[in-house]
Amino acid sequence: MTTTTSDVSEAGTVRLVDYLAGELARVGITHVFGVGGANIEDVYDAVHRGGTVRGVVAKHEFSAVTMADGYARTTGRLGVVAATSGGGAMNLVPGLAEAYASRVPVLALVGQPPTGQEGRGAFQDSSGKGGSFDAAEVFAPVSRFCARVEDAESLRELLPRAVAAAQTVPRGPAVLLLPKDVQQARIRLPGRGVAPAPGLPVPAPTASDASLDASALTAVSDALRKADRVLVIAGEDVAAADARAELAELARTLGAWVAVTPDAKDVFDNRDPRFAGVAGVMGHSNVEDCLRRADVCLLVGTRLPLLARGGLERALTATEVVSLGPEPPFVRGTALGGDLRAALRAVTGRLPPRARVCPGHAGPVPVPMPIPDSGALGRTVPYAQAVRAVEAALPQDAHVFVDAGNAGASAVHLLPAPRHGRFVVAVGMGGMGYTFGAGIGAALATGRRTYVLAGDGSFFMHGMEVHTAVEYSAPVTFVIFNNNAHAMCALRERFLQGGARNDDLFGRTDLAAGVAAAFPSLDVTRADDVAQLRRALLSSNTSGGPTFVALDCDPREIPPFLPFQSFATTTDSGTARPAEKENSHERGIVHVG
């Protein structure tokens, strides 16, 4: 571990927090994200003294978790978050829930009051004693591992276990509860009568074919060998397993069409002739067309949850389904579990080596997005035009983080993923405001320009993390689609509840003016048209730090979201007109989102 001379005030010992910081540094952790407080300040002190790991202070613990989440998704390493007790600890829960649902490896270090005060009225007591609730019981459902560190020596065992649990499939958060007095306790370094502690685990290398189930491998390979037409639907596990090359080789060998789930746009080249589009409720009709023509549907690295299979259920029941991935899918079929890269290589190796020709298909043709009459709303920028401006400016090595809502659905449907960067949509819990922290974590971890695409609703939840981006000069371009509404909710109220209330339509706000006033050093643009938006984005690419661009959108515009598509037709003038009613089939899928 890395220590400084001042850390060792007793021969051969250091504080537990210095040992912890040194172990994180030893395995390549570069950042710890969080919010300070009395019961976690010793961790931050140790990180500062160690000098190898950088401490990043967020504005809110939810965003600190999403910073660690974005760090993990873009680097493949463990993300680390640290927070104090009480409200700070509880604010971690929704972010950890997203990491749990999306299988993202995150280690949460959670401060607790001193052990001697437990059950005796301690401020922010969550020991489960003396009438207090037990923090371990709160975190257990949203973690793969959760433990209270009762004494300094026990950390030698608990830290490797926590890290291993976070990085073992199914990946997810691990939580260590650290009482303040335990953080400050001394721990002996190896070499003076102390056996070396087990080192922190690193992700295992790709497993061999021998680890795969032989009968399932044969069944999947035989089905694909016999099929003339194959549709592959690839998911986020392809990115998590770093299996893009193996996926591309299998698709080439099969001559397959390749679709992606909404959270996995970057796992296959969106400009490849084989690319069929996005599957599910934010997707392209071509995917359903290919599925109906296919002899076999191959799921790769996805369980095909509802967002990814919405609108495809009938076609799936009529098509043979096989899957590769560490977890079984939500649809019926033949599943080959185990290591995804090993499975892809093994299946490809059992197919004839000569690549097949991919059958013709329409490609990811966007759905029509009628533009509402402007009326009293004044000048707004349609989603499709705004996304095209983002596409024109987006560097191919940039990362893209897309938030929830109408703007997010438009980006998932319309924006091609950068060839050499991540395209991340947090659909595990779908929490608004995720992208602000996640984009910052990714930008600080990789140093690459990172685009955050979000609506004003998401901005009002966690957009003040812009302050964090300014403080740390993170290369993030924040693009805010401001429709002065929770517009997806407003459309549901309009179409599904008769439009009797307008709770989710708000008064006008000038976000650019407000942010510019709050952060004088920040490059801020209010884009009144597409040309101005594109210029601002191109300018942001040459900036070394954060930039902020806001544009006005229309809350009545219907996004490319399947549950809403039946409610609008296009008039001769190109404006939107609500349809009369939904049919029985549409009622079956409308409750997504």
Side-chain angles (χ1 to χ4, degrees):
M1 63 167 285
T2 303
T3 62
T4 62
T5 302
S6 60
D7 293 327
V8 186
S9 59
E10 299 176 21
T13 69
V14 294
R15 296 177 302 170
L16 175 140
V17 289
D18 297 312
Y19 173 82
L20 173 59
E23 286 296 287
L24 295 178
R26 189 173 62 81
V27 296
I29 303 301
T30 58
H31 293 74
V32 171
F33 306 94
V35 179
N39 286 328
I40 201 65
E41 62 190 1
D42 295 289
V43 169
Y44 283 99
D45 179 68
V47 166
H48 176 75
R49 287 173 181 269
T52 303
V53 180
R54 186 182 191 188
V56 176
V57 177
K59 308 286 91 64
H60 192 280
E61 289 83 2
F62 169 81
S63 291
V65 180
T66 66
M67 288 177 193
D69 179 303
Y71 175 102
R73 294 198 203 215
T74 51
T75 66
R77 297 194 296 268
L78 180 73
V80 181
V81 60
T84 194
S85 51
M90 296 303 100
N91 285 340
L92 296 172
V93 171
L96 294 177
E98 169 60 42
Y100 183 96
S102 291
R103 311 305 197 242
V104 180
V106 171
L107 173 65
L109 306 173
V110 185
Q112 297 285 276
T115 54
Q117 298 178 12
E118 293 175 351
R120 304 180 65 185
F123 180 57
Q124 299 180 331
D125 188 2
S126 57
S127 64
K129 302 175 183 178
S132 66
F133 71 88
D134 189 344
E137 294 182 358
V138 174
F139 288 114
V142 293
S143 63
R144 305 295 177 192
F145 178 87
C146 180
R148 188 181 299 272
V149 181
E150 301 287 358
D151 57 72
E153 290 300 323
S154 67
L155 185 71
R156 296 182 188 275
E157 174 201 357
L158 293 175
L159 180 59
R161 288 178 60 191
V163 172
Q167 296 180 317
T168 301
V169 175
R171 304 172 186 88
V175 179
L176 291 177
L177 303 173
L178 299 166
K180 185 174 179 67
D181 57 320
V182 176
Q183 294 177 48
Q184 296 174 331
R186 311 297 298 186
I187 185 169
R188 293 193 66 186
L189 294 174
R192 300 199 181 194
V194 179
L200 294 189
V202 296
T206 302
S208 67
D209 296 359
S211 66
L212 303 172
D213 181 88
S215 61
L217 174 59
T218 298
V220 170
S221 302
D222 287 350
L224 294 173
R225 189 183 303 109
K226 295 173 184 177
D228 291 324
R229 294 178 175 179
V230 176
L231 171 66
V232 174
I233 302 179
E236 167 65 13
D237 277 340
V238 175
D242 193 19
R244 293 178 180 84
E246 289 81 0
L247 170 64
E249 179 60 20
L250 178 58
R252 186 192 68 82
T253 302
L254 289 170
W257 302 301
V258 181
V260 294
T261 58
D263 59 340
K265 284 202 74 171
D266 59 17
V267 303
F268 191 81
D269 187 350
N270 294 184
R271 299 159 185 84
D272 190 291
R274 300 177 183 84
F275 183 62
V278 178
V281 298
M282 291 172 271
H284 302 94
S285 61
N286 181 56
V287 176
E288 182 180 3
D289 293 340
C290 291
L291 179 59
R292 293 188 183 281
R293 295 168 60 193
D295 301 307
V296 172
C297 177
L298 170 62
L299 308 181
V300 179
T302 177
R303 304 183 72 191
L304 211 65
L306 187 57
L307 282 179
R309 71 175 189 270
L312 301 177
E313 289 95 335
R314 290 184 179 179
L316 283 166
T317 60
T319 307
E320 182 178 2
V321 176
V322 297
S323 73
L324 309 178
E327 297 182 80
F330 294 113
V331 296
R332 297 177 66 178
T334 303
L336 173 59
D339 181 86
L340 183 57
R341 292 179 72 185
L344 284 164
R345 291 172 178 173
V347 170
T348 303
R350 292 194 172 204
L351 298 175
R354 188 169 64 87
R356 301 181 195 172
V357 176
C358 180
H361 63 115
V365 178
V367 300
M369 296 177 64
I371 302 171
D373 292 322
S374 59
L377 290 177
R379 192 172 187 177
T380 59
V381 180
Y383 291 128
Q385 294 180 21
V387 173
R388 281 197 294 271
V390 173
E391 180 183 358
L394 185 67
Q396 287 304 299
D397 64 346
H399 302 304
V400 178
F401 284 78
V402 176
D403 221 300
N406 288 359
S410 300
V412 169
H413 188 78
L414 298 170
L415 181 62
R419 283 192 171 93
H420 309 295
R422 292 300 325 265
F423 188 110
V424 176
V425 187
V427 297
M429 289 288 103
M432 293 172 65
Y434 160 89
T435 57
F436 292 93
I440 293 169
L444 292 176
T446 66
R448 296 192 198 177
R449 176 58 48 181
T450 300
Y451 274 52
V452 165
L453 309 181
D456 54 305
S458 295
F459 173 80
F460 283 123
M461 289 192 180
H462 292 286
M464 281 300 100
E465 294 301 335
V466 169
H467 179 276
T468 308
V470 171
E471 286 292 299
Y472 293 92
S473 300
V476 181
T477 299
F478 298 97
V479 186
I480 310 302
F481 299 74
N482 181 14
N483 51 31
N484 296 293
H486 288 164
M488 189 167 281
C489 296
L491 288 175
R492 292 185 64 86
E493 291 159 10
R494 174 185 170 191
F495 293 138
L496 302 180
Q497 298 182 326
R501 58 190 178 92
N502 58 3
D503 302 5
D504 288 297
L505 297 174
F506 312 133
R508 183 181 178 278
T509 55
D510 188 341
L511 297 182
V515 170
F519 307 107
S521 65
L522 180 63
D523 183 1
V524 177
T525 300
R526 175 180 169 178
D528 293 321
D529 55 41
V530 174
Q532 191 174 5
L533 172 61
R534 184 171 181 271
R535 287 195 300 270
L537 296 178
L538 288 170
S539 176
S540 79
N541 295 339
T542 63
S543 169
T547 63
F548 185 95
V549 183
L551 60 147
D552 288 339
C553 299
D554 193 323
R556 302 168 301 168
E557 184 175 355
I558 298 175
F561 188 60
L562 185 59
F564 294 156
Q565 289 303 302
S566 64
F567 295 104
T569 58
T570 306
T571 66
D572 292 339
S573 64
T575 57
R577 178 179 64 200
E580 293 301 319
K581 61 181 179 179
E582 55 182 326
N583 63 38
S584 59
H585 173 62
E586 290 153 350
R587 279 197 297 271
I589 61 172
V590 80
H591 295 294
V592 176

